[in-house]
Amino acid sequence: MFSKACQYAIRAVLYIATQSEQGRRTSLKDISKEIDSPEAFTAKILQQLSKNSILLSIKGPNGGFEIPDETMKRVKLIEIVRIIDGDQLFTGCALGLKACNEEKPCPLHNQFLGIRTNIHQLLENTTIKKLVNDLELGLTFLKR
Amino acid sequence: MFSKACQYAIRAVLYIATQSEQGRRTSLKDISKEIDSPEAFTAKILQQLSKNSILLSIKGPNGGFEIPDETMKRVKLIEIVRIIDGDQLFTGCALGLKACNEEKPCPLHNQFLGIRTNIHQLLENTTIKKLVNDLELGLTFLKR
DNA sequence: ATTATTTAGGATAAATTTGTCCGAAATAAA
DNA sequence: TTTATTTCGGACAAATTTATCCTAAATAAT
Ligand code: FES
Ligand code: FES
């Protein structure tokens, strides 16, 4: 469904967001520890997100990553997915034909359309902020 | 969603099924031409499916692959997916935690559950036979 | 029996994704 | 100004997935 890179991206963003909410900037080291991800690989992903204005990166001592409150209210999951995985999930064909295409549909097209719509809506309607609350209440988790 | 191998598998099975319905046995060469897939790679996949009794393979001149009518009525898509891709799609966590787990859910767990159920039901309720009809009527396609 | 055709299966290769390493750049603190 | 800390960015490496190649085995037709 999502690539590992994308899963790390979402987990990282959510962790940074919980910290930012409490006024704490967080370092790569912390992040990869708290979401249980490979550090250097995570760095690459955060770089991409930062280039795409999903988060802020600050170099130097006490540097790290932050997400402004405005940003976590604005940014939807779908943006993160698009940045990391592209939009194959939304435009691709379930059975691997060149692209999903209503005119010449694959045998799963009709049944798949509903699922795709569900996924799209979920990602389109979910902001970072929305997910942060449950995390802070300890109702959901970023690692086990 | 599905690996390429799995997409080829489903397309191949459906093509073989349409041919079998008309009493025609079909060769690897035909199959990979008709579903537009790499021949040798497709061979590996068909081998797996044949070992798992999803289809029949016959060696030698006029050999090839078939699916008995009984089989296409019985076999659901979920079985093909399980054989080729395993059950990661059904048991895995959307955000890559060790496994999906109701007790310690990831932040997407609740919203993802519905989607997962949809996918599962679609694959569980769809037999090969069900998809063959539309294919024969030219309403759906296995390549473009 | 011999030959031609077709799948089986092992070895290998290419492509992609995932992951690591290390020096450069920025920057804060001493 | 020097040093320590932290991200950036490029090169490299490992793992996985996708794809190819070749010989063996089966078997039908000659
Ligand atoms: S054509 Fe295959 S999913 Fe739309
Ligand atoms: S715990 Fe992540 S999907 Fe269930």
Side-chain angles (χ1 to χ4, degrees), chain A residues 144, chain B residues 92-95 99-101 104-106 109 112 116:
Chain A
R144 294 198 210 97
Chain B
C93 165
L95 291 188
C100 177
N101 175 349
K104 271 196 141 192
C106 76
H109 176 85
F112 190 65
R116 168 138 63 200

Side-chain angles (χ1 to χ4, degrees), chain B residues 12-24:
Chain B
V13 162
L14 291 178
Y15 177 69
I16 298 167
T18 62
Q19 296 305 297
S20 288
E21 283 243 314
Q22 297 164 31
R24 286 200 290 270

Side-chain angles (χ1 to χ4, degrees), chain A residues 34-50:
Chain A
E34 292 303 323
I35 72 172
D36 189 22
S37 70
E39 195 173 313
F41 190 47
T42 306
K44 301 293 188 193
I45 295 163
L46 295 182
Q47 234 175 102
Q48 273 189 82
L49 293 174
S50 142

Side-chain angles (χ1 to χ4, degrees), chain A residues 77-108:
Chain A
L77 285 187
I78 199 169
E79 299 179 53
I80 300 176
V81 172
R82 281 219 159 90
I83 289 166
I84 307 295
D85 281 351
D87 60 3
Q88 188 57 21
L89 187 55
F90 314 117
T91 65
C93 165
L95 290 189
L97 305 196
K98 304 298 179 199
C100 177
N101 174 349
E102 190 77 31
E103 306 306 309
K104 272 196 139 191
C106 76
L108 283 190

Side-chain angles (χ1 to χ4, degrees), chain A residues 22-121:
Chain A
Q22 296 165 34
R24 286 200 290 269
R25 185 177 291 164
T26 178
S27 71
L28 170 63
K29 210 169 172 179
D30 270 356
I31 296 165
S32 61
K33 195 173 67 188
E34 292 303 323
I35 72 172
D36 189 22
S37 70
E39 195 173 313
F41 190 47
T42 306
K44 301 293 188 193
I45 295 163
L46 295 182
Q47 234 175 102
Q48 273 189 82
L49 293 174
S50 142
K51 270 191 226 163
N52 283 277
S53 321
I54 303 296
L55 43 77
L56 246 53
S57 77
I58 297 96
K59 286 180 186 173
N62 298 309
F65 299 87
E66 310 176 350
I67 303 186
D69 199 62
E70 178 274 317
T71 303
M72 55 179 113
K73 278 187 204 144
R74 194 197 68 223
V75 174
K76 299 159 185 170
L77 285 187
I78 199 169
E79 299 179 53
I80 300 176
V81 172
R82 281 219 159 90
I83 289 166
I84 307 295
D85 281 351
D87 60 3
Q88 188 57 21
L89 187 55
F90 314 117
T91 65
C93 165
L95 290 189
L97 305 196
K98 304 298 179 199
C100 177
N101 174 349
E102 190 77 31
E103 306 306 309
K104 272 196 139 191
C106 76
L108 283 190
H109 177 84
N110 282 300
Q111 303 166 76
F112 190 65
L113 224 50
I115 289 167
R116 200 204 316 263
T117 304
N118 282 354
I119 297 175
H120 195 275
Q121 279 176 0

